[in-house]
Amino acid sequence: MKTCTRFADMKAGYERDIAFLRGHAARHEGSSAAKASTRHAWGMKQNMARALARHFVRCSLCQ
């Protein structure tokens, strides 16, 4: 699958945020903040999938 640089930048940004949230959840395991962080990471992963799919469909370089 060939993609443009914007796709890679978007993906890297989302992955950085997801890693931050998962790291926070790991550091504060068992707390309510960790549980919320885990839920936010899961939601952000879904948002990333939607955004990248939408970009892939609309971008002339990625098609």
Side-chain angles (χ1 to χ4, degrees):
M1 176 169 88
K2 183 180 175 191
T3 57
C4 68
T5 57
R6 178 153 166 75
F7 183 93
D9 290 343
M10 288 173 53
K11 185 175 179 182
Y14 275 109
E15 288 176 342
R16 186 174 39 249
D17 292 344
I18 291 168
F20 174 80
L21 290 169
R22 287 185 176 165
H24 179 268
R27 284 189 304 275
H28 301 283
E29 190 174 350
S31 69
S32 61
K35 292 173 187 174
S37 187
T38 301
R39 285 191 303 270
H40 289 306
W42 182 76
M44 189 166 291
K45 191 171 182 180
Q46 288 184 325
N47 291 343
M48 177 182 72
R50 273 190 237 112
L52 293 178
R54 192 170 44 244
H55 172 84
F56 189 78
V57 168
R58 294 179 180 178
C59 180
S60 61
L61 296 173
C62 290
Q63 292 180 354

